[in-house]
């Protein structure tokens, strides 16, 4: 029986052992900087100074260091962890997310005066030499616009049991105050509603509650304008239009339609009619006299307010810019909005820009060329793991692009517009490597990766300031050892409150000023800015 055993040659055993030792040394060497930080906390009093880190002599100390390194790096004898993984050791631990009051590092960076450089930051030169490496001022400005879009998601009432499903939980006068965005120095002047039937349960349609809100309209975004102090900092009066992305199933259905509709029947660019995807067109242009909130389309509501604000500030002799921002479907609506604004508001000539996140293709070649000729500047922020920017026609368009320049002039192929800033979700050391890639489309994930981006060939910024916990607002992408709950952003007790007098859990009554009203869709007086 013993003769039947396979004996491994001594030379081979030594070779295997030498290889394991070599792998361990390489990993320790490459991850040394990250290990030094953690060793101090695991061996208090032993390696407390920088001097000790370079004078480890005894064999016992080396063994202790090896054990700590294994615990930190999770190195196993079979060397299953790649060197690239070890180089992305997280800076944060679960203790960093405990509330320590004023002792914690602020989640925002200082805001410099950018008035002398605002045109370049707004895209006058198509962001040339500002993207790689990413200029810190541009990063903060793009993040600011992304947070405006995120505020629409955060305040949208999408509870199917709510009689106000599809509306904002806050009126426009206190939206930024409730969400902690007053720091940006903007004021909301108008809410925008679009038709794409609110997906509510049948009981809502057959009850008296259907008269309180609308079964035909959704709150899609807002128009805001910079206040006096912020305008001095950024060098002009900035009008912002923020569009949220897809939330309801009906909107998803609209997104997936791939046929095109003529967008600008009056103006043909060359020999070709400007066309856009029919689903986006429907949401942006639909209206009905039978509805309460969409007697005017989203397009008409927005343009009416933009024209009013431009006239007011231009009459005061101010420099005015229009920045339209959106995520996903909102990025598509932003492009159509920018097209109309650049065409119909001559006073904005050269000062219309779009900042989009994870936006799909919108229109044909004529649409792209017409936008360029109108002087609209577009910065597309894209995660390479996100599939949405490859839509519509993910397969068909990809094949045709490989046949370029043969297909470069085909007017019926969907085209992207503008300058692309490409990000990598897995550049973040805080994100699970086995995450559902569908989460890569989440706006908070975009803002997190953007905050850590410096340049294409460098890792995640060590001085990134944005709150990492925000990633798990509506995802489960953060590493488990950080102990941040998954999908943690929700209304407390799912909207119920305890009536202390009766001891019953009840649904609160909305404050009168927060109840959606067709009258509240009007503009806010400008003198209050």
């Amino acid at each position: 029986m013993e003769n039947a055993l396979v004996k491994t040659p001594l030379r081979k055993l030594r070779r295997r052992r030498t290889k394991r030792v070599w792998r361990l040394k390489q990993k320790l060497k490459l991850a040394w900087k990250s290990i030094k930080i953690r060793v101090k906390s695991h061996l208090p009093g032993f390696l407390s100074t920088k001097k000790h880190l370079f004078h480890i002599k005894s064999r016992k100390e080396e063994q202790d260091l090896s054990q700590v390194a294994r615990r930190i790096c999770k190195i196993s004898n079979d060397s299953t962890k790649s060197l690239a993984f070890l180089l992305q050791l997280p800076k944060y631990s679960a203790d960093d997310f405990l509330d320590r009051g004023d002792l914690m590092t602020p989640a925002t960076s200082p805001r410099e005066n950018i008035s002398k450089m605002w045109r370049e930051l707004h895209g006058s030169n198509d962001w040339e030499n500002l993207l790689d490496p990413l200029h810190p001022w541009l990063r903060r400005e793009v993040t600011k616009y992304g947070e405006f879009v995120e505020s629409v998601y955060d305040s949208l009432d999408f509870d199917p049991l709510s009689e106000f499903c599809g509306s904002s939980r806050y009126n426009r006068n206190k939206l930024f105050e409730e969400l902690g965005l007053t720091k940006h120095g903007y004021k909301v002047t108008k809410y925008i509603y679009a038709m794409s039937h609110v997906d509510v349960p049948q009981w809502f349609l057959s009850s008296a509650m259907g008269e309180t809100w609308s079964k035909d309209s959704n709150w899609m975004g807002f128009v805001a304008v910079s206040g006096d102090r912020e305008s001095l900092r950024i060098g002009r009066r900035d009008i912002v239009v923020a569009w949220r992305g897809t939330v309801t199933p009906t909107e998803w259905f609209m997104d997936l339609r791939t046929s095109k509709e003529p967008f600008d029947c009056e103006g043909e660019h060359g020999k070709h009619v400007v066309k856009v995807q029919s689903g986006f067109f429907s949401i942006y242009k639909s209206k009905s006299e039978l509805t309460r909130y969409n007697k005017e389309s989203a397009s008409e509501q927005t343009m009416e307010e933009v024209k009013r604000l431009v006239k007011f500030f231009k009459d005061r002799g101010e420099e005015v810019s229009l920045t339209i921002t959106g995520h996903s479907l909102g990025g598509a609506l932003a492009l159509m909005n920018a097209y109309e604004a650049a065409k119909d508001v001559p006073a904005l000539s050269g000062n219309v820009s779009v900042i989009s996140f994870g936006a799909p293709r919108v229109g044909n070649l004529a649409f792209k060329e017409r936008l360029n000729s109108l002087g609209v500047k577009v910065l597309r922020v894209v995660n390479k793991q996100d599939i949405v920017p490859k839509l519509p026609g993910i397969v068909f368009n990809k094949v045709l692009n490989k046949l370029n320049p043969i297909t470069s002039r085909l007017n019926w192929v969907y085209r992207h517009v503008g300058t692309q800033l490409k990000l990598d979700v897995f550049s973040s050391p805080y994100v699970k490597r086995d995450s559902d890639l569908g989460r890569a489309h989440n706006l908070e994930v975009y803002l997190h990766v953007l905050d850590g981006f410096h340049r294409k060939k460098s890792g995640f910024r060590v001085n990134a300031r944005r709150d990492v916990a925000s990633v798990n607002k509506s995802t489960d992408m953060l590493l488990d050892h950080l102990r941040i709950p998954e999908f943690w952003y929700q209304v407390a007790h799912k909207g119920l409150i305890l009536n202390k007098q009766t001891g019953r859990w009840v649904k609160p009554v909305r404050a009168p000023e927060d109840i959606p009203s067709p009258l509240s869709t009007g503009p806010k007086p400008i003198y209050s800015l």
Side-chain angles (χ1 to χ4, degrees), residues 1-57:
M1 187 69 177
E2 294 179 358
N3 295 332
L5 296 174
V6 178
K7 295 184 178 179
T8 304
L10 182 60
R11 182 182 301 172
K12 187 175 290 188
L13 286 173
R14 288 176 177 172
R15 188 181 302 161
R16 288 179 180 175
R17 184 172 58 186
T18 302
K19 187 177 290 187
R20 285 199 301 269
V21 172
W22 180 85
R23 286 174 178 170
L24 178 60
K25 286 182 178 180
Q26 291 298 313
K27 290 177 178 180
L28 289 175
K29 181 179 179 181
L30 291 170
W32 185 247
K33 289 184 180 180
S34 297
I35 291 172
K36 286 194 296 184
I37 297 173
R38 296 303 182 104
V39 164
K40 291 182 182 180
S41 61
H42 284 83
L43 299 177
F46 181 62
L47 298 175
S48 57
T49 66
K50 184 176 181 181
K51 179 178 179 181
H52 286 112
L53 293 174
F54 297 98
H55 295 84
I56 302 175
K57 296 181 179 179

Side-chain angles (χ1 to χ4, degrees), residues 13 16 18 50 76 78 112 171 203 207 256 262 269 291 304 308 310 370 375 449 452 475 485 493 518:
L13 286 173
R16 288 179 180 175
T18 302
K50 184 176 181 181
S76 58
D78 60 0
E112 296 87 351
N171 71 70
W203 66 263
S207 71
L256 294 174
H269 192 64
T291 65
E304 178 184 355
R308 185 182 75 92
V310 169
R370 180 62 172 148
V449 180
T475 74
H493 310 301

Side-chain angles (χ1 to χ4, degrees), residues 9 13 96 188 254 287-288 295 299-300 309 315 336 353 419 433 448 450 453 466 485 487 497:
L13 286 173
D96 294 307
V188 177
M254 293 293 190
K287 63 180 179 178
S288 172
K295 297 184 186 301
S299 165
E300 291 170 338
L309 292 173
D315 288 348
M336 293 186 286
S353 293
T419 304
R433 293 306 180 267
H448 168 65
L450 174 66
F453 179 80
R466 202 163 191 279
F487 304 95
I497 60 173

Side-chain angles (χ1 to χ4, degrees), residues 103 185 226 249 280 502:
L103 299 178
S226 57
F280 304 150
T502 63

Side-chain angles (χ1 to χ4, degrees), residues 128-174:
E128 184 178 358
N129 299 324
L130 295 178
L131 300 180
D132 192 19
L134 182 60
H135 196 289
W137 293 1
L138 179 60
R139 180 190 297 109
R140 292 180 193 122
E141 290 302 295
V142 173
T143 300
K144 174 182 73 176
Y145 294 120
E147 289 180 347
F148 286 148
V149 180
E150 182 63 30
S151 72
V152 185
Y153 286 118
D154 291 347
S155 55
L156 179 67
D157 186 346
F158 194 56
D159 179 3
L161 300 179
S162 170
E163 58 268 38
F164 302 109
C165 180
S167 69
S168 172
R169 289 186 283 114
Y170 313 112
N171 71 70
R172 64 170 181 259
N173 298 319
K174 64 178 185 179

Side-chain angles (χ1 to χ4, degrees), residues 10 14-15 34 41 77 119 157 159 185 192 224-225 243 246 248 300 366 379 397 447 456:
L10 182 60
R14 288 176 177 172
R15 188 181 302 161
S34 297
S41 61
N77 288 330
R119 293 188 185 278
D157 186 346
D159 179 3
I192 307 168
V225 65
W243 299 90
T246 306
T248 72
E300 291 170 338
L379 179 61
N397 277 273
L447 297 179
K456 291 179 181 178

Side-chain angles (χ1 to χ4, degrees), residues 61-84:
E61 290 173 351
E62 290 178 357
Q63 291 174 349
D64 290 342
L65 178 59
S66 178
Q67 291 176 3
V68 173
R70 285 175 180 274
R71 185 161 64 251
I72 298 170
C73 305
K74 300 180 181 178
I75 299 174
S76 58
N77 288 330
D78 60 0
S79 300
T80 57
K81 300 295 183 183
S82 67
L83 298 179

